[in-house]
Amino acid sequence: MFRLGKRSFTKFKEQITSQGVPSVTRIGQGLSRRSLSSESTLPESADVVIIGGGSAGCNTLYQLTKRGIRAVLLEKNKLTAGTTWHTAGLVWRLRPNDVEIKLLASTRKLLMSLEEETDHNSGWINNGGLFISHSDERLNEYKRLATLGKCFGIESHILTPEEAQEVFPLLDPAGFTGALYSPGDGVVDPAMMCTALTKASVANGGMIVEDCSVSEIVTGENLLGVRDVRGVVTNKGMIRTNTVVNAMGVWGRDLIEPLGIHLPLIPMKHAYVVSETMDGINQMMPNIRDHDYSIYFRIQGKSICMGGYENNPILLDRVPGDFHFGLYDLDYSVFDTHIQGAVKICPEFGKAGIKSTICGPESFTPDHKPLMGPDPIINGLFHNCGFNSAGMMLGAGCAEQLAKWIIHDRPDLHMFAYDIRRFSPKQKKALNWATERSHEAYAKNYSIVFPHDEALAGRNFTVDPFHKQMIQHGAVMEERHGWERPGYFLPEDTVVVQPYDWYGYYDYPKNTNTNYEEALQKDYTFGFPEHHDLIGEEAHTCRQEAVLFNLSYFCKLFLTGSQAKEAADWIFTADTDKPKGKTVYTCALNKRGGVEADVTVSIVESGQGELHDPIFKGRGYYIVAGGASAYHTKSHMLATIQEKALRAVVTDQTEELGVLSIQGPKSREILQKITDFDLSDEEQLPPNSNAVLSLKINPFYSCNVRVLRVSFVGELGYELHIPEESCNDVYNALMKAGYKEGLRNAGYRALYSLSSEKGYHLWGNDLRADDTPVEANLGFTCRKKGDYQGKAIVDRQLENGINKKLVFFTLREQVPIWGLEAVYRNGEIIGHMRRGEYGYTLQKPIGQAYVTRPDGDYVTNEFIRSGRYQVEVMGKMYDAECHLRSPFDPKGERILGIYK
């Protein structure tokens, strides 16, 4: 029976406070009292004001002042108040994401160097980390992590249970099946870390004011009517500034809601317990994560701190503003599930007894990622909150990127997964949606990250006009950016996404209809999924006959206004000074030359006043971009227009227009049946063009749609952009017209496979904000004449060369690849897969990777051609062929309608 210690909770809280929570005097030791004090006089102005003195705030202050920025940190109580003071402080090195691995590395590097810089111990202890596995599938995930880690020089080892016991003697080897050992992991004391950070910050000219509560962020409007930050009002006076960082943690929503800004940030209770002193435990034993039991061990002296992520966390509406160093009583009816798992892998833990408990508020988000970056509504407001109990391990790395974001307009890394603009305004305002998704993300935090995992919470948030027809035709739906989209189609079944059942907790009955969940689970594997062949049938039909893709969730924008041409010239790399009817593929870059979006731009003129053909003055541009990054694309365009003070308007028609893409050798023949327009006339509608056409729904009714002759799969094909009220009619007419030609529906799983096989890019994967067009083989989209944002970097690379280059790999063996696999050239690691698919026409796996040279020199075609390549998949090496371009249809004949 597990024994509960009877020591006083109050006594333990006082003990932790005296040892781990800094007072003003302690932090201020050796610092200027004017720079750090509750008595400090506020400066009249500052370059940046940071609100919140926890890990996020202290790290941000450090990174800004290190770069010469005059920054002030305001804390309403004392530093580390809120979440930071009671955090477990674990720091891991391996995550299933290359950007996060880099962020973790930045944090670790800082923690290891702070003492030398400040002469103050940062609290970092490098005691290593163990990931415990209870299944072969989990061990496969660990092998993927270890493989990716090799690309970044991270030492790790797959261990047997007996080998893991050698590293952590109190483990029961009969209680698990394997482990991943990362010797470079560790733990940090939050108070000591913040002390070192603030000491360095003050030495660099920063200022910290405690007991200083902010009551208002003052905003104004510029001449274009754009709101911006002007200052902050506090209980000690006002500070003028044009840049504010929201680092308020669980209080991150409260101050900004009066400004009309909403954050999808949900406070919850999060807990761990501290064991009595245990024989056989010492501080240099590794911390443990048992993902299958959803628990962790953090070594603290001769005790174990144990916590985890349960299915029924206690959700909070808001955390009281004065809950600075407060804690809650632990609810063992919630926490007991962790105790059971802990005892199974470490029986001695069950005999030790509980010395004390820690249960505090923590902020969580719908995808378990922080909320960072510039607010799209108010210029000068930045966010750095919502760290999902990972603030210690991600804090320094994120703060470094945020500092560069503030100073240079963009971070170094591709931070889209953390960027607040990954959520649409509709999502951010929907508290119920955010709560559902945050709950599931919390409960699944330690779940295996499968390639085709889908959320069950917050579904059917936004559906397109074809949604019911998709379901009726057997669509297994996916969710992206709040939209439902078809992943693939079951030939003889229908599955419907059910309302979220909260895993059967909070008095919600569990769903009895589990057909959708069962369909998803069939593909939860790192091998070839059960629906692999079914998706292949969709892909083959596209290559041989014709399919219909529902692309309705794609971003659809009109750029108009008296300076729309100037805006298009500056935003887009390609030459958009084309005649009406031309459609151009182009990139939109940031100031570092990185690709913020790749889009099609159609040149249009004022139309008949319909949604797809609006009335406006002058020339306009119809822009179509990927749906998963729709709001990011729109925000980037608006921010660029505002910065240049251009008189141009961006109108979002995403929800008002449906999109059907008919692709394949028979697409023209099918579409021709429902229009009198001669589609074979290459002068009227050539590749990369658009026109408004009339479609015959029946003998008595026709409707107008905008047709783009473009393809994302490398086939003869057309995109139909349809007013919402005509969507169902057009869909039915197309399916009827294509019945004899074998027209079928196809989903995004086939779409992405086909696009990868053709060599097209998928933004966020093989094309990101940290890739330039030259590196991504998109130099052809960059015009030589005229200026555009990022052009200087593009021109420099075109002249001098590049240090990384996108290439394609095909494997000779039938082994699935998903991305993150290590790539070797002549035995040396030169990169990792950004994206992995199966090429059904090529009949082999295909993936894209950016390769670099071990000597750091420029990557040339000769360097690429002269190597011998292998790809490491879950610890095994496979021979691979490297291609400068995808081997499928290298001459691009199929998109022209040339089929041999």
Side-chain angles (χ1 to χ4, degrees), residues 173-202:
F176 57 101
T177 60
L180 172 65
Y181 177 47
S182 175
D185 294 351
V187 68
V188 62
D189 179 276
M192 296 173 71
M193 180 192 75
C194 288
T195 300
L197 289 171
T198 51
K199 184 176 182 179
S201 300
V202 171

Side-chain angles (χ1 to χ4, degrees), residues 101-118:
I101 284 180
K102 292 179 181 179
L103 293 172
L104 293 170
S106 295
T107 294
R108 183 175 181 271
K109 180 180 178 181
L110 176 63
L111 292 173
M112 294 175 69
S113 64
L114 263 181
E115 184 169 6
E116 181 178 353
E117 178 183 351
T118 65

Side-chain angles (χ1 to χ4, degrees), residues 574-596:
D575 181 6
T576 55
D577 189 14
K578 301 290 185 180
K580 174 190 174 183
K582 184 65 176 175
T583 296
V584 178
Y585 173 67
T586 181
C587 295
L589 309 185
N590 55 45
K591 294 177 181 177
R592 295 174 178 266
V595 181
E596 292 291 333

Side-chain angles (χ1 to χ4, degrees), residues 275-283 299-304:
S275 75
E276 298 281 5
T277 298
M278 296 175 60
D279 292 335
I281 292 291
N282 66 77
Q283 184 62 68
I299 306 304
Q300 182 172 300
K302 294 182 69 64
S303 297
I304 292 177

Side-chain angles (χ1 to χ4, degrees), residues 122-143:
S122 68
W124 164 250
I125 300 174
N126 185 178
N127 56 329
L130 267 178
F131 287 0
I132 301 297
S133 167
H134 295 268
S135 68
D136 291 341
E137 205 70 279
R138 178 68 77 178
L139 203 57
N140 283 338
E141 181 183 43
Y142 291 167
K143 290 175 182 177

Side-chain angles (χ1 to χ4, degrees), residues 539-547 662-669 682 687 709-718 754 758 760 841 888-889 891-900:
H540 285 305
T541 302
C542 181
R543 295 282 189 232
Q544 297 166 4
E545 296 173 321
V547 298
I662 183 169
Q663 300 287 327
K666 297 182 180 179
S667 61
R668 176 183 289 166
E669 178 184 351
E682 291 290 330
R709 188 175 165 189
V710 295
S711 177
F712 189 51
V713 295
E715 297 293 328
L716 173 67
Y718 306 84
L754 292 162
K758 173 56 183 169
Y760 290 158
T841 311
F888 175 79
D889 189 23
K891 295 182 179 180
E893 293 181 322
R894 298 172 73 96
I895 199 170
L896 302 176
I898 302 173
Y899 291 92
K900 298 179 180 179

